């Protein structure tokens, strides 16, 4: 009988020790540190570009807007135009310097940088200097147009301005 009592006490002790461990496991805390790394490799850019560059051909005279511009709306940092690409729309892109009146063609001169056909303009620093925070760069453009028919509000071409933080081009 003594042996049964000792066995029962050992079994109860073992059961109670397991119950205590399970109870302690419900209260365990795990603290995990959050490590943060910040790398400012990209300068944020905030700017506005023209919504369109309208061109009208009225009785043989080409008329362009005189209020187009790119504005750096950022509070700090300068930006610059790193690329100007001209792609055809309804019209072919011609050479501004050697424009030949072909069927529905357009050639552009943007800040003194001219189209030689479809593709990127050769930019100069004088034509597209850095634009400081809260400042603007006027976009002065001229066009040469040859149209074989009357058109209204047609997308003759697309101009793509690529802009980067100054010093990161």
């Amino acid at each position: 009988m003594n042996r049964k009592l000792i066995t029962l006490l050992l079994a109860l002790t073992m059961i109670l020790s397991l119950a205590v461990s399970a109870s302690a496991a419900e209260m365990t805390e795990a603290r995990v540190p959050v490590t943060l790394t910040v790398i400012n490799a990209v300068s944020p850019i905030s700017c506005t570009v023209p919504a369109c560059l309208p061109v009208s051909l009225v009785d043989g005279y080409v008329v362009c807007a005189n209020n187009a511009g790119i504005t750096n709306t950022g509070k700090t940092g300068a930006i610059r135009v790193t690329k100007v690409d001209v792609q055809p729309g309804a019209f072919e892109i011609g050479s501004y310097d050697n424009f030949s009146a072909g069927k529905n063609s357009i050639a552009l001169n943007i800040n003194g940088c001219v189209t030689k056909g479809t593709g990127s303009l050769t930019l100069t620093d004088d034509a597209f200097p850095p634009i400081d925070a809260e400042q603007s760069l006027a976009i002065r453009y001229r066009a040469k147009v040859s149209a074989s028919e009357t058109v209204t509000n047609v997308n003759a071409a697309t101009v793509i301005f690529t802009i980067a933080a100054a010093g990161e081009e």
Side-chain angles (χ1 to χ4, degrees):
M1 176 141 177
N2 209 5
R3 209 175 201 191
K4 285 186 179 184
L5 184 61
I6 292 174
T7 304
L8 181 62
L9 284 174
L10 284 174
L12 282 173
T13 305
M14 195 164 76
I15 291 171
L16 289 175
S17 71
L18 291 175
V20 170
S21 295
S23 174
E26 292 176 20
M27 302 301 269
T28 301
E29 289 184 358
R31 294 179 184 240
V32 179
V34 176
T35 57
L36 175 65
T37 303
V38 177
I39 300 171
N40 289 323
V42 177
S43 300
I45 295 174
S46 178
C47 65
T48 59
V49 296
C52 68
L53 298 174
V55 175
S56 296
L57 181 60
V58 181
D59 295 329
Y61 294 99
V62 177
V63 180
C64 299
N66 62 4
N67 61 349
I70 297 174
T71 302
N72 181 350
T73 56
K75 299 293 180 194
T76 61
I79 61 171
R80 80 174 309 134
V81 175
T82 59
K83 183 178 179 183
V84 178
D85 192 50
V86 181
Q87 294 297 312
F91 282 49
E92 294 178 4
I93 308 301
S95 169
Y96 189 85
D97 292 332
N98 298 310
F99 190 73
S100 61
K103 182 178 177 184
N104 292 343
S105 59
I106 186 169
L108 298 170
N109 176 328
I110 303 173
N111 284 17
C113 303
V114 298
T115 58
K116 297 184 185 321
T118 297
S120 298
L121 304 183
T122 302
L123 303 184
T124 64
D125 290 339
D126 291 338
F128 292 95
I131 308 166
D132 291 327
E134 301 180 331
Q135 298 297 312
S136 296
L137 171 68
I139 300 298
R140 304 285 180 226
Y141 69 102
R142 295 184 300 228
K144 294 181 180 178
V145 179
S146 174
S148 61
E149 57 198 40
T150 300
V151 295
T152 303
N153 292 327
V154 68
N155 181 18
T158 299
V159 176
I160 303 163
F161 292 102
T162 302
I163 299 172
E168 293 187 12
E169 13 344 303

